[in-house]
Amino acid sequence: MASDESAYRQPTIDVAGVTALLDGRYADVRRLVRENLARHSSLLLDAETMGRDEFRDRVRDVVVEIAATGQTALGLPKEFGGAGDVGASVAAFETMAFGDLSALVKIGVQFGLFGGAIQQLGTESHHQAYLPGAADGSLMGCFAMTESGHGSNVQALGTTATYDPASEEFVIRTPDEASRKDYIGNAARHAQLAVVFAQLVVGEESHGVHAFVVPIRDGETVLPGVRVADCGLKMGLNGVDNGRLWFDDVRVPRTALLNRFADVAADGTYSSPIESVNKRFFTMLGTLVLGRVSVGGAGVNAAKVALTIAVNYANRRRQFATGDERDEELLLDYGQHQRRLLPLLARTYALHAAQEVLVDRLSDVFSGVDADEGARRALESRAAGTKALGTWHATATIQECREACGGAGYIAKNRFAALKADTDVFTTFEGDNTVLIQLVAKGLLTGYSSEFSDLDQLGMVKFVTSMAVDTVIERTNVHKLLERVKDLLPGGDEWSQEAGLLDPNYQQAMLRFREEHLVSGVARRLKSGVDDGMDAGEVFSRVQDHVIATGRAHVERLVLDAFIEKVAAMPDGDNKVALGLLVDLHALSVIEADRAWFMEHGRLTAQRSKAITAEINDLCRKVRPLAGDLVAAFAVPSEVLRADELLNW
């Protein structure tokens, strides 16, 4: 049941080979980004020594300099200086997370959100007018979606864009304080244009949320009718000028509507190739999934920085002797220190593999290789879930690594202060993580047969109300649950008490059983509540914790599947053995973390639970000699690591 110590031979890692594996097909892109990070590494010091406005301008200047290398335009069409490669653009963004994160977010706002909205929601005239300036940074813009009163619920935004046929203009208006645009990057200081999301009103009819290009500055002068306020000092990312925007009957021409999916003729006739209002809205938002994919990857890479520092420190720092004639022990030789850091290291590799799968799917959908509507919805679900797990992981890992470095980890120049402060918001921007996981669960319950992004409370309540016994059973295959579980398990229903802990079939089957059981269970609870005559909203509220657990279990399974498949595809050799240890460490750590659930549901005995803990400890001992090389393979540029007090013992 446990590993055979006598048959184990410690592998030797080829660091360059593992780096090449991690960098994958975008190795050249990642190399360019690392060079740019090294060149502009002084930003990390500038963040600590410059005043806020000075640092904001410094970040802007660096972003423009980086744009000149071609790094930021990779996702744009070739005719606008890009490479037309959305996967390359994500790889570049992820790798930028090794350095100053204000520069990362400024790049995301300018080239991903602002430029991406123009590219994905606009048509040729908009591309010609705005993309060249957006691509080289000479035309700064912002993405004005979120409002003080509405963040996740974009369909309920309060800003209006009312068409005036007499002048052929849209009138942009902020009707109340709840409708002000809030937390908008680039708005407080640098943006000349805003892509404003507003309710389109023609005559007496509202056609839902659409996007408009609205000038907000001429040089440094704020234009008439536009009001701007600075969000002020933030927890982190103070090199990004987040601001608030109000529009007091600002007029823009009819052509300001980004009209790829809908248009308004001169006489006020509204038209769209997408008949359904909901489908049109979610098609517009679906084109912007790139940001969610990018943020998740950036979170994983920020975790790599923290682990690189903490593991190397633990490989050098000594504390307490275990005998009179012995030197003090290295921190990483302590079992508890291994327990603190090495499962996080394994999970980082696992999430990297899951991110690679996601980026491949993204490239297929955006390039048209896989244009099926179901594929797009599955992509949106996977992006939501991977982003949530990746950014939660960043927050947890950075905190654990900071603590593992003691008081020295609290010193700003050792990087943890900025890493903690700058990544904290990753869990809520580009989608609040809890809402995103709820969205994943709804996709599972409906089999992606409904509008995927319709996952606000009202959408869930409508779903609950419309459920019938037969459709729930059909959607979730509740009546086939036991048969499906048995099919997963070659050894029959007693598999979990006999299979080897290091068998990937066992590891995957455990996570798949949990997912299947949670999906069917939440469907039954939803239906039972409705059948009992309970208000649909109350039903959903009562099972929301179950919904969240279901979504999270699904994504955890996807992550493990991706990691197992990546390592299985490696050529035989020591690198494959080393990463195989990480697969086992990650899988068993996930099971151990939820051991109570597995025991409650008859999949884990007390004896086997103890065996898993013992196996994890053994895996940590095996990974310990490899840990330095495994973090070296992340290839974080030494110039941005700083942390001399921690790394140069």
Side-chain angles (χ1 to χ4, degrees):
M1 190 165 67
S3 58
D4 182 357
E5 287 283 350
S6 63
Y8 177 73
R9 180 185 65 80
Q10 189 70 31
T12 300
I13 291 179
D14 170 15
V15 173
V18 178
T19 299
L21 178 76
L22 295 174
D23 284 357
R25 59 173 167 161
Y26 298 116
D28 290 342
V29 169
R30 297 184 193 277
R31 188 177 305 114
L32 170 63
V33 176
R34 288 185 177 104
E35 291 170 357
N36 283 331
L37 285 170
R39 187 175 301 116
H40 299 291
S41 60
S42 61
L43 265 183
L44 295 164
L45 178 61
D46 295 338
E48 298 164 9
T49 58
M50 288 183 172
R52 188 176 64 191
D53 287 344
E54 183 185 10
F55 184 55
R56 286 173 170 180
D57 290 347
R58 170 77 174 125
V59 169
R60 176 202 56 199
D61 293 344
V62 167
V63 166
V64 172
E65 289 177 34
I66 290 174
T69 69
Q71 173 191 314
T72 58
L74 292 166
L76 293 177
K78 293 179 180 179
E79 58 266 35
F80 297 105
D85 189 339
V86 67
S89 71
V90 175
F93 188 84
E94 292 170 353
T95 311
M96 274 295 295
F98 288 158
D100 176 76
L101 293 170
S102 284
L104 171 89
V105 172
K106 190 85 166 178
I107 284 172
V109 168
Q110 173 66 19
F111 305 101
L113 293 178
F114 172 65
I118 298 292
Q119 179 186 353
Q120 297 295 334
L121 301 180
T123 50
E124 185 63 24
S125 62
H126 301 111
H127 297 169
Q128 294 293 338
Y130 305 121
L131 283 185
D136 64 18
S138 60
L139 178 63
M140 283 282 168
C142 62
F143 184 85
M145 177 182 283
T146 298
E147 296 178 353
S148 299
H150 287 99
S152 297
N153 189 8
V154 178
Q155 278 187 297
L157 294 178
T159 304
T160 58
T162 304
Y163 185 63
D164 178 0
S167 61
E168 297 186 23
E169 294 174 318
F170 291 102
V171 182
I172 313 295
R173 175 179 297 168
T174 304
D176 50 48
E177 281 302 294
S179 301
R180 71 183 183 188
K181 298 299 180 182
D182 215 344
Y183 323 122
I184 310 302
N186 267 4
R189 190 170 177 86
H190 294 143
Q192 304 295 304
L193 296 177
V195 172
V196 178
F197 288 79
Q199 304 286 350
L200 170 58
V201 180
V202 181
E204 298 299 318
E205 185 177 1
S206 175
H207 294 279
V209 173
H210 292 63
F212 303 81
V213 180
V214 182
I216 62 173
R217 282 187 183 83
D218 182 4
E220 296 184 0
T221 303
V222 176
L223 294 172
V226 178
R227 287 183 287 152
V228 179
D230 199 311
C231 286
L233 190 67
K234 306 187 295 291
M235 183 184 292
L237 299 175
N238 284 298
V240 182
D241 51 320
N242 292 86
R244 301 184 173 101
L245 297 171
W246 296 258
F247 301 96
D248 301 324
D249 293 340
V250 174
R251 288 179 171 266
V252 294
R254 184 172 60 88
T255 54
L257 171 65
L258 294 175
N259 61 340
R260 177 180 174 186
F261 299 108
D263 207 354
V264 175
D267 64 357
T269 301
Y270 179 85
S271 62
S272 172
I274 305 172
E275 194 168 320
S276 164
V277 174
N278 276 350
K279 185 173 182 180
R280 184 187 316 129
F281 171 74
F282 294 123
T283 299
M284 291 180 190
L285 260 60
T287 62
L288 305 175
V289 70
L290 175 62
R292 195 165 284 166
V293 174
S294 299
V295 169
V300 174
N301 273 19
K304 293 176 185 176
V305 178
L307 283 164
T308 299
I309 296 170
V311 168
N312 281 320
Y313 177 67
N315 252 334
R316 292 165 171 77
R317 177 75 153 88
R318 294 181 180 274
Q319 189 78 278
F320 299 110
T322 57
D324 292 339
E325 303 300 323
R326 300 184 62 178
D327 292 334
E328 290 186 290
E329 290 288 301
L330 288 169
L331 292 181
L332 202 54
D333 286 337
Y334 287 102
Q336 182 57 27
H337 213 79
Q338 294 168 14
R339 267 282 192 161
R340 297 178 75 175
L341 297 181
L342 301 186
L344 293 174
L345 177 60
R347 187 171 180 82
T348 302
Y349 268 82
L351 286 164
H352 180 102
Q355 179 73 5
E356 279 189 343
V357 173
L358 176 60
V359 172
D360 286 344
R361 303 280 173 85
L362 179 79
S363 297
D364 288 346
V365 169
F366 271 63
S367 67
V369 171
D370 192 349
D372 177 72
E373 186 67 22
R376 179 174 286 278
R377 290 177 186 167
L379 167 67
E380 290 170 347
S381 174
R382 191 165 194 137
T386 305
K387 183 266 181 184
L389 261 61
T391 55
W392 272 328
H393 173 68
T395 297
T397 299
I398 292 165
Q399 177 63 29
E400 192 65 54
C401 288
R402 203 293 299 161
E403 292 183 28
C405 291
Y410 205 65
I411 305 301
K413 66 181 178 181
N414 291 330
R415 287 229 50 192
F416 290 109
L419 283 170
K420 279 170 57 70
D422 290 346
T423 60
D424 193 84
V425 75
F426 284 19
T427 60
T428 48
F429 76 19
E430 290 296 331
D432 175 276
N433 282 357
T434 299
V435 175
L436 293 181
I437 291 293
Q438 177 176 296
L439 182 156
V440 172
K442 180 173 178 286
L444 292 172
L445 288 166
T446 61
Y448 309 113
S449 61
S450 69
E451 293 301 329
F452 168 71
S453 298
D454 184 17
L455 44 112
D456 57 16
Q457 301 303 88
L458 179 61
M460 289 297 290
V461 168
K462 287 179 178 177
F463 166 62
V464 172
T465 305
S466 67
M467 286 198 305
V469 175
D470 291 342
T471 57
V472 173
I473 291 176
E474 184 62 30
R475 282 171 177 164
T476 62
N477 289 321
V478 174
H479 62 300
K480 296 181 179 178
L481 175 64
L482 292 179
E483 288 78 5
R484 284 208 312 278
V485 170
K486 290 177 180 177
D487 288 344
L488 291 169
L489 319 171
D493 200 35
E494 298 301 316
W495 64 281
S496 61
Q497 315 312 327
E498 300 170 1
L501 297 180
L502 306 185
D503 181 350
N505 292 320
Y506 166 76
Q507 297 162 358
Q508 289 175 296
M510 285 286 277
L511 297 200
R512 189 174 290 277
F513 172 83
R514 181 178 63 172
E515 176 188 344
E516 297 275 4
H517 196 285
L518 286 168
V519 170
S520 59
V522 77
R524 288 195 302 271
R525 288 184 65 192
L526 286 166
K527 188 68 192 92
S528 175
V530 172
D531 287 347
D532 290 345
M534 192 181 301
D535 175 75
E538 178 66 17
V539 172
F540 175 72
S541 181
R542 290 191 178 191
V543 304
Q544 194 169 15
D545 60 330
H546 197 153
V547 170
I548 300 301
T550 299
R552 187 157 189 162
H554 172 67
V555 186
E556 287 278 16
R557 194 262 302 168
L558 292 180
V559 171
L560 179 60
D561 286 352
F563 197 16
I564 287 174
E565 289 169 13
K566 184 173 182 66
V567 175
M570 293 174 65
D572 290 341
D574 279 13
N575 281 355
K576 185 172 185 176
V577 173
L579 266 62
L581 294 173
L582 295 186
V583 169
D584 292 333
L585 179 55
H586 170 67
L588 295 183
S589 296
V590 170
I591 295 169
E592 182 189 52
D594 207 13
R595 71 169 86 194
W597 188 94
F598 287 108
M599 294 178 79
E600 288 172 354
H601 293 83
R603 293 297 108 184
L604 205 59
T605 64
Q607 181 182 6
R608 196 162 177 84
S609 175
K610 293 176 182 178
I612 287 175
T613 296
E615 189 66 61
I616 291 173
N617 290 337
D618 181 62
L619 287 164
C620 284
R621 288 190 291 272
K622 290 174 179 175
V623 171
R624 185 262 175 269
L626 309 172
D629 286 340
L630 287 167
V631 296
F634 294 148
V636 181
S638 59
E639 293 87 347
V640 297
L641 278 177
R642 302 179 79 196
D644 288 343
E645 292 182 355
L646 295 177
L647 302 181
N648 295 328
W649 280 79

